[in-house]
């Protein structure tokens, strides 16, 4: 019996467990998944939760309910890997042997990495919405906040869902307008990037959108520390951005065991081949989803497209063959823009988000890089797709590869 061990039962690990169990023969392969949390969260729901627009039961489910029969779940936290012996060691010292390993332990926000961030002001004047508990605490804060300087801040890239901080700023604008207190709130978006997004055409569109909602942008802001006494972000080039309420996305880091095992970079992201997701250091280890260092967005859609190709990549690797179809970095992101509208971005390693229609030219019905109501409704509907189709690894009629159909490159770009 060969042993496949998957680490992490988040989006990528759960899809992998479901798809691999269907494809790998039961009398040849034993599949085990290790997960530290009892509950699986639909993380895009955190954004809506912060504004009181999503209920807990809509975004949380017990991990065992999402896994197929024939996959053994071990509840525990991975502490280290012993790559010579091919074993995983858990915090309670359980040893799990493997022949092949899939690391899908994602990334986590680490406020401890920025001086002044995770201290006494955390949960008071400093908030976040990148974990369940933080989103809940922010919801309570926003419900009673009387206004002032709201700063939405991104510490360092890459982060999961790089559009979520933009969405937060735009939804905050709508939220305070609805409450009749927008004139009491200034909103500033502080980013280490030169603009609102990583790629130029989308950065221009999203930057205009922020401007149209009276949201100021502070670009190229490399934070050094937070001054807890004066309530200000301080950058290495000595700029200061004062706040009354800071909503921050802390540094996102991979799991510590990745760094300790020598498989990762300085953010503990597993270094992999960007087409096959095979570790560049160990040919019995793959990584999927947010846990890797590949140069595309960290998004659930990425885990989904990778998994459309991964089973074949894995089986061909075992047979000593090159991958037939490699992953091209394809990512799709809905951007909720407030007022019941949203935008859609569709891109990959080579092609930046372009305007146009999706999935069909002219008729769409979804609009790329343009606000529309149907984009907003599609974003909301995605939650059902996530639980019912995506996690169980069922067929979703969407290509794993980017299509240029319906996309137009603006003449000036
Ligand atoms: C606020 C927010 C909004 C988002 N919006 C969108 C969106 O609109 N669209 C989109 O596509 N994506 C969105 N995302 C991103 C999406 O949720 C992630 O990209 C996706 O969940 C990545 O899947 P993953 O399996 O790689 O990691 P995760 O789903 O985070 O799973 C990692 C799992 O590994 C477990 N784990 C970690 N370390 C260990 C350890 N040492 N031992 C055992 N288990 C461990 C964790 O408990 C977790 O269950 C959003 C994320 C956030 C935070």
């Amino acid at each position: 019996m060969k042993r496949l061990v998957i680490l992490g039962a988040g989006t990528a690990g759960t899809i992998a467990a479901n798809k691999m169990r269907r494809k790998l023969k039961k009398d040849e392969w034993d599949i085990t998944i290790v997960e530290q949390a009892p509950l699986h969260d639909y993380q895009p729901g955190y954004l809506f939760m912060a504004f009181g627009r999503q209920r807990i039961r809509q975004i949380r489910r017990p991990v065992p309910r999402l896994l197929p029969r024939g996959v053994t779940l071990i509840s525990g936290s991975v502490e280290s890997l012993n790559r010579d012996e091919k074993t995983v060691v858990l915090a309670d010292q359980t040893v799990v042997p493997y022949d092949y390993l899939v690391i899908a332990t994602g990334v986590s926000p680490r406020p401890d990495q920025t001086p002044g961030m995770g201290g006494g002001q955390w949960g008071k004047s400093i908030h976040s919405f990148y974990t369940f508990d933080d989103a809940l605490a922010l919801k309570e804060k926003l419900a009673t906040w009387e206004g002032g300087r709201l700063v939405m801040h991104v510490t360092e890239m890459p982060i999961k869902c790089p559009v979520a901080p933009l969405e937060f700023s735009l939804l905050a604008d709508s939220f305070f307008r609805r409450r009749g207190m927008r004139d009491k709130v200034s909103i500033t978006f502080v980013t280490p990037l030169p603009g609102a997004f990583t790629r130029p055409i989308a950065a221009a569109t999203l930057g205009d959108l922020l401007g149209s909602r009276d949201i100021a942008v502070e670009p190229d802001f490399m934070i050094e520390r937070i001054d807890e006494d004066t309530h200000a972000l301080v950058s290495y080039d000595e700029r200061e951005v004062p706040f009354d309420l800071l909503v921050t996305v802390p540094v996102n880091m991979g799991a510590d065991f990745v760094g300790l095992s020598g498989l990762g970079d300085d953010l503990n992201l597993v270094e992999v081949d960007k087409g096959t997701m095979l570790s560049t250091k160990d040919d019995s280890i793959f990584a999927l989803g947010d846990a890797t260092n590949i140069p595309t967005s960290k998004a659930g859609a990425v885990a989904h497209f990778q998994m459309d190709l991964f089973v074949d990549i894995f089986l061909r690797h075992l047979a000593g063959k090159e991958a037939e179809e490699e992953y091209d970095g394809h990512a799709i992101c809905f951007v909720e823009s407030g007022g019941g509208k949203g935008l859609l971005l569709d891109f990959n390693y080579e092609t930046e988000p372009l305007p146009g229609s999706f999935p069909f030219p002219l008729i769409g019905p979804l609009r790329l890089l343009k606000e529309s109501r149907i984009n907003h409704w599609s974003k909301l509907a995605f939650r059902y797709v996530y639980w019912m189709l995506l996690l169980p690894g069922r067929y979703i009629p969407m290509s794993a590869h980017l299509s240029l159909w319906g996309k137009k490159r603006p003449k000036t770009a």
Side-chain angles (χ1 to χ4, degrees), residues 8-13 34-37 43-44 46 76-78 104-106 129-130 160-161 164 255 257 288-290 298-301 379:
T11 310
V34 182
E35 169 58 51
Q36 64 188 7
Q43 296 174 38
Y46 297 161
S77 175
V78 178
T105 37
F129 60 98
Y130 263 54
K160 43 186 163 186
C161 196
F257 76 84
L288 296 169
D290 291 353
K298 296 198 177 301
K379 170 135 188 157

Side-chain angles (χ1 to χ4, degrees), residues 35 65 88 94 138 140 153 162 192 228 350 355 377:
E35 169 58 51
R65 267 179 52 193
V88 178
T94 303
L138 180 55
E140 277 155 24
H153 165 248
E228 290 183 85
E350 304 298 331
W377 287 113

